[in-house]
Amino acid sequence: MKGKRVFVAGHRGMVGSAIVRRLASEDCEVLTVSRDRLDLLDQAGVRRWMADNKPDAVVMAAAKVGGILANDRFPVDFLQENLVVQSNVIESAFRSEVGKLLFLGSSCIYPKLAPQPIREDALLTGPLEPTNEWYAIAKIAGLKLCQAYQRQYGVDYISAMPANLYGPGDNFDLQSSHVVPALMRKAHALALSGGNNLEVWGSGTPRREFLHVDDAADALVWLLKNYAGDSHVNVGPGEDVTIAELAQAVASVAGVEATIAFDTTKPDGTPRKLMDVSQLFATGWRPRYALRSGLEQTYAWFLQHVEKGDVRLGAA
Ligand code: GDP
């Protein structure tokens, strides 16, 4: 990394901003560009920016992401935007002779009923989870595009498959967020009102593998520095919890004695997506946060920033 110019696409998002924080301790120059100066949907603009700035490496952390309901409601946005943005960045990087690129997939792009824990080679072995297949198809295409560039041109374009991420900078808009920020916001509302009815979508039985975004960023930078294989690499803690257990933990972190009310009119999504992280762990990498301490750190961030008014809350 020494002296290298690393472009982080999507630096305002939760993952991109964590990667920028993590790269600050590397001896490299971090390049970012704001959305009003460069729209990643604009192919000519991205080609021009890449040619003008000539990064040595690119981390592709820009993506349209959202929770289970947003994915279901806005299929065009999730499929179209992701396809276009990722193709623009990957192709422009290649045209500008970028030697290294890291693309991010997600554990939700594995088949819905993949054997657990999910190994890297389970990709494309079965039908997808219908609530997020739009996002999954786009991400699979991105992953395959990196692999195709590797095969055809021998460039070092790699992919990582992060677990469900949470942490500072997350989206706390209840309509579009993932489960951790949603439950934090709801628990916080109970803490303020003195109520105790914590509404949890679905049955509470699905299991999810949660990774703090700073741990994710640490693993991603590690891969950027050390990994050059043609398979994507799973990135997670290798442990999962039920949504009911998560809800109890979040309530406890917020200091709320909660009674959980399951709203079974909302979807459960895939029953389980625990990844096999033996490839990553074999390198010696381990996460620093246990789920409880990661939730505490994130809730503290939320309290601090909600006060300042710079948390993404969406419409009331
Ligand atoms: P997923 O991993 O793609 O399903 O993404 P989510 O983080 O949106 O949802 C994970 C699980 O948490 C699903 O089973 C949801 O039904 C459940 N869940 C429970 N309460 C909530 C909530 O308030 N918001 C969201 N997004 N999910 C919730």
Side-chain angles (χ1 to χ4, degrees):
M1 301 291 282
K2 200 168 158 44
K4 294 278 193 301
R5 293 157 57 77
V6 184
F7 171 42
V8 180
H11 71 289
R12 297 286 307 278
M14 175 174 67
V15 183
S17 55
I19 292 169
V20 170
R21 283 197 296 280
R22 174 61 186 75
L23 285 173
S25 56
E26 296 291 324
D27 195 4
C28 66
E29 184 186 345
V30 178
L31 309 181
T32 59
V33 58
S34 64
R35 189 171 291 201
D36 44 313
R37 283 184 40 229
L38 178 63
D39 179 357
L40 296 177
L41 289 164
D42 166 15
Q43 185 186 48
V46 178
R47 283 181 179 169
R48 208 175 320 116
W49 190 90
M50 208 69 88
D52 289 347
N53 290 278
K54 288 231 165 281
D56 298 297
V58 169
V59 182
M60 179 47 185
K64 169 100 185 149
V65 297
I68 193 160
L69 218 57
N71 264 274
D72 218 21
R73 284 190 183 154
F74 306 107
V76 174
D77 301 5
F78 281 89
L79 182 53
Q80 159 101 353
E81 268 187 46
N82 283 319
L83 280 174
V84 173
V85 164
Q86 71 201 21
S87 303
N88 285 348
V89 171
I90 296 167
E91 189 254 6
S92 302
F94 178 70
R95 286 169 80 100
S96 289
E97 297 171 11
V98 171
K100 181 104 193 181
L101 182 142
L102 171 62
F103 179 76
L104 304 186
S106 157
S107 61
C108 71
I109 78 180
Y110 282 117
K112 178 183 172 87
L113 300 175
Q116 312 278 320
I118 310 171
R119 286 167 25 155
E120 281 87 354
D121 61 9
L123 192 72
L124 288 171
T125 56
L128 300 166
E129 156 58 37
T131 50
N132 62 22
E133 65 180 351
W134 321 100
Y135 175 80
I137 298 265
K139 283 287 183 184
I140 292 171
L143 222 111
K144 284 286 163 192
L145 188 59
C146 289
Q147 224 176 34
Y149 271 104
Q150 269 194 26
R151 293 234 173 134
Q152 194 169 332
Y153 297 110
V155 286
D156 192 4
Y157 290 7
I158 60 169
S159 301
M161 211 71 119
N164 281 39
L165 302 177
Y166 70 95
D170 210 340
N171 168 22
F172 289 78
D173 174 354
L174 295 179
Q175 289 307 308
S176 59
S177 71
H178 287 105
V179 61
V180 172
L183 294 180
M184 280 191 178
R185 186 167 172 193
K186 292 181 203 175
H188 179 240
L190 295 180
L192 294 180
S193 68
N196 60 8
N197 214 21
L198 182 60
E199 185 208 273
V200 175
W201 293 357
S203 63
T205 58
R207 304 183 69 91
R208 292 290 183 272
E209 180 183 11
F210 296 103
L211 180 67
H212 190 285
V213 72
D214 286 334
D215 278 332
D218 189 60
L220 295 172
V221 170
W222 190 95
L223 289 174
L224 198 61
K225 286 162 68 173
N226 299 297
Y227 183 74
D230 97 317
S231 163
H232 51 275
V233 180
N234 289 342
V235 173
E239 290 167 9
D240 62 0
V241 293
T242 66
I243 296 301
E245 287 164 346
L246 173 75
Q248 290 295 358
V250 170
S252 152
V253 164
V256 173
E257 290 258 348
T259 310
I260 294 179
F262 294 106
D263 176 359
T264 50
T265 65
K266 295 285 198 307
D268 266 344
T270 198
R272 193 177 190 198
K273 46 179 172 173
L274 177 67
M275 293 189 296
D276 181 332
V277 289
S278 45
Q279 219 196 128
L280 179 65
F281 276 25
T283 67
W285 185 87
R286 291 290 183 283
R288 271 180 233 148
Y289 284 105
L291 181 59
R292 173 80 195 195
S293 58
L295 292 175
E296 284 169 356
Q297 189 273 353
T298 304
Y299 192 66
W301 179 92
F302 172 71
L303 290 182
Q304 199 186 5
H305 287 259
V306 89
E307 195 135 294
K308 285 202 246 161
D310 61 358
V311 174
R312 281 191 286 161
L313 296 172

